[in-house]
Amino acid sequence: MTETTQTNGGGTRGTAPENPYEPYTPRSPEARAAMDALRGMRQDLLQDAFAYRPLPRLAEDGRQIRKLPPRLRRHAVWTPHAVVGVLAWIALTAGVSTGRDLGSPFAIVGSLIPAVAVLLTLVRPVAAFWLSLASTPFIAMIGSSWDGWPWQPGSFAAHLFVMTVVALRTRPRTAVWMWLLTAAYGLSAELVRQQYYYDSDTAAMLFLSAVVLLLVTVLHVRREAAQEVTAQLTVTQQERSRRTLLEERTTIARELHDVVAHHMSVVAIQAEAAPYRVENPPPELERAFATIRENAVAALTELRRVLGVVRAEDYEAPDAPQPTLADLDALLGNVRDAGLEVDKAVTGAIRELPQGVELSAYRMVQEALSNVLRHAPGASARVEIGYVLGGLGLRIVNGPPPEPDSVKPSPGAGHGITGMRERVTMLGGDMTTGPTDEGGYEVAVFLPVATASEDRA
């Protein structure tokens, strides 16, 4: 495609495409800005101007509606519609209080049209603006010369109300266009103003409408900013929960790696030493133990290769064994030193549980007691451990803080429960949490453990 430049007196006018059917695009940025502005006005005030857009009711679970009695909530949701009705009545009253002859059909129509325009904002807001603007010169011509030009009292109030409601129901750009069109009409009416009109209310209309529309725009901006902040907080909360979940899964994977790696190493060592413990073992037994050792070493290698990716670069495997329920007394001693009064109760026959269950139970008790220290300072706690048939039961409950105002709770991310649930889900257990009737908090967990008969089956 080639372009030709048309000049007039040395100045560039623009470029024209080779294809005459393609739209002409001006080169001037000002012209493009003007075309974009006109396109925006067409979208806001011309396109689907008569579309049916009913004013929605307020939500019954809104912040203000929830404070009302249930009987009043059903009626309070119609508050915006009632306000528009009151504004229409004010416009009608202003129209009939100008001293006109109400028996005249022109006076009746001139009084009703502004009120109808206000009511029309309930279902067709943009059409209501055009009706109010188009009816203004008609009402001015049939009105009294003492009532002002170019807006009569009824049309003045109605047009101001209409612009306010339409601006609230649309966006700030629409408010700007409505004000500009109102200003264009007012200034044009001033130029052709007839001499027998004693007063002009164009300046008053432009000033009041500018103030009102500016306030509406500020409300729009604040509402959009609040929505963006709420959305951002929601996204941040979700990302924080997801990150906490991933961190907890990583911790679980590391701990399982250490536990399983230890047992697989023991299996490999015992399988290698077993043939030397038997005098003259048969070749079949030696081959069986050799196969067991090879499979154990291969499984240990694959386990380290797969789970090694979850370790951080600076992570070092703990030298000491992973904690179990037998180490709870030391944990309770530490939290007592931190100022937490905690008791422990054990029911059922104490028995050795799988190391993964022991470790998860220990971690959940540790997290629950940390939450008590953080969120309920000064409260007492109780740890209950129940060895039952088919599993292990845990219950960590704390009472209310004795003096809530003396020690402030420490703010936290609130994702400790998420990590606990992840551990319970991994083991196929159940977990319930919630406040108690006394004002404290309770965490109840059941971790299933297969019995010896189930393992043999």
Side-chain angles (χ1 to χ4, degrees):
M1 179 182 296
T2 60
E3 295 182 349
T4 59
T5 303
Q6 299 177 355
T7 60
N8 185 9
T12 301
R13 295 176 55 188
T15 59
E18 182 179 355
N19 189 349
Y21 296 101
E22 292 184 2
Y24 171 71
T25 302
R27 176 177 294 181
S28 172
E30 294 80 2
R32 293 177 182 173
M35 292 180 61
D36 292 339
L38 294 176
R39 189 179 300 110
M41 184 187 70
R42 182 180 60 188
Q43 293 176 353
D44 294 337
L45 296 178
L46 298 178
Q47 188 175 357
D48 296 332
F50 295 91
Y52 181 70
R53 301 169 186 172
L55 179 64
R57 297 180 300 173
L58 296 179
E60 292 189 9
D61 57 348
R63 183 173 56 182
Q64 301 298 332
I65 304 297
R66 287 181 301 182
K67 300 178 181 179
L68 299 176
R71 182 177 299 178
L72 296 179
R73 293 178 187 174
R74 294 176 298 177
H75 305 287
V77 296
W78 298 100
T79 301
H81 303 75
V83 171
V84 174
V86 172
L87 295 180
W89 174 257
I90 294 176
L92 178 63
T93 303
V96 300
S97 62
T98 56
R100 297 177 183 174
D101 182 11
L102 297 181
S104 172
F106 292 101
I108 296 176
V109 173
S111 301
L112 289 177
I113 289 180
V116 172
V118 177
L119 292 176
L120 191 59
T121 58
L122 294 173
V123 290
R124 305 182 192 275
V126 179
F129 167 75
W130 287 115
L131 175 61
S132 177
L133 186 64
S135 63
T136 298
F138 168 75
I139 298 174
M141 286 186 294
I142 67 174
S144 174
S145 60
W146 298 93
D147 293 333
W149 173 267
W151 279 278
Q152 296 287 298
S155 59
F156 186 97
H159 194 67
L160 191 61
F161 295 156
V162 166
M163 285 197 297
T164 303
V165 176
V166 175
L168 287 171
R169 297 198 56 192
T170 54
R171 51 184 175 179
R173 190 177 68 179
T174 306
V176 174
W177 283 117
M178 288 191 301
W179 189 87
L180 291 177
L181 291 174
T182 301
Y185 165 74
L187 296 178
S188 300
E190 289 294 331
L191 296 178
V192 298
R193 171 175 139 178
Q194 299 183 18
Q195 297 300 323
Y196 58 85
Y197 285 95
Y198 291 95
D199 192 14
S200 172
D201 48 15
T202 300
M205 168 61 73
L206 296 183
F207 175 77
L208 291 177
S209 60
V211 173
V212 172
L213 295 180
L214 180 61
L215 293 177
V216 173
T217 302
V218 172
L219 290 177
H220 273 295
V221 173
R222 291 193 59 181
R223 183 171 57 186
E224 292 177 358
Q227 292 175 352
E228 291 179 1
V229 170
T230 302
Q232 186 63 32
L233 289 177
T234 303
V235 172
T236 302
Q237 188 75 7
Q238 293 175 351
E239 291 295 332
R240 189 179 300 168
S241 299
R242 189 179 297 110
R243 185 172 63 251
T244 303
L245 188 62
L246 292 177
E247 291 175 356
E248 188 64 28
R249 288 181 177 178
T250 301
T251 303
I252 294 173
R254 292 170 180 170
E255 293 173 346
L256 285 179
H257 175 273
D258 298 332
V259 171
V260 177
H262 169 73
H263 288 295
M264 295 300 295
S265 299
V266 172
V267 170
I269 294 174
Q270 290 182 348
E272 184 177 7
Y276 300 100
R277 297 173 183 258
V278 180
E279 184 177 359
N280 299 323
E284 295 82 1
L285 184 62
E286 291 184 352
R287 287 195 298 270
F289 279 115
T291 302
I292 293 174
R293 181 183 181 280
E294 291 176 359
N295 290 334
V297 173
L300 183 60
T301 302
E302 292 296 327
L303 179 66
R304 287 173 176 170
R305 180 180 297 113
V306 174
L307 296 184
V309 298
V310 303
R311 295 187 183 274
E313 295 181 358
D314 56 349
Y315 175 78
E316 296 180 0
D319 297 331
Q322 295 290 348
T324 63
L325 291 177
D327 302 314
L328 270 184
D329 292 335
L331 174 63
L332 298 183
N334 290 334
V335 296
R336 289 191 184 102
D337 294 338
L340 175 63
E341 297 181 5
V342 57
D343 297 328
K344 183 182 78 169
V346 180
T347 58
I350 300 177
R351 66 183 186 274
E352 185 178 358
L353 302 175
Q355 190 168 359
V357 175
E358 295 261 356
L359 175 61
S360 296
Y362 178 90
R363 295 300 188 197
M364 283 186 281
V365 173
Q366 183 182 39
E367 179 63 31
L369 295 179
S370 300
N371 288 339
V372 176
L373 287 172
R374 184 181 303 112
H375 301 292
S380 60
R382 179 177 177 84
V383 178
E384 300 177 1
I385 304 173
Y387 290 87
V388 297
L389 183 63
L392 175 71
L394 295 176
R395 182 175 180 266
I396 305 95
V397 60
N398 64 273
E403 296 180 0
D405 296 332
S406 60
V407 181
K408 298 296 183 182
S410 174
H415 299 299
I417 300 296
T418 303
M420 298 170 67
R421 291 190 185 279
E422 185 67 17
R423 290 182 179 273
V424 173
T425 302
M426 178 193 67
L427 297 175
D430 296 322
M431 173 178 172
T432 58
T433 61
T436 62
D437 297 336
E438 294 78 13
Y441 200 82
E442 177 184 16
V443 176
V445 178
F446 177 76
L447 302 177
V449 178
T451 60
S453 60
E454 292 175 348
D455 290 338
R456 287 194 296 268

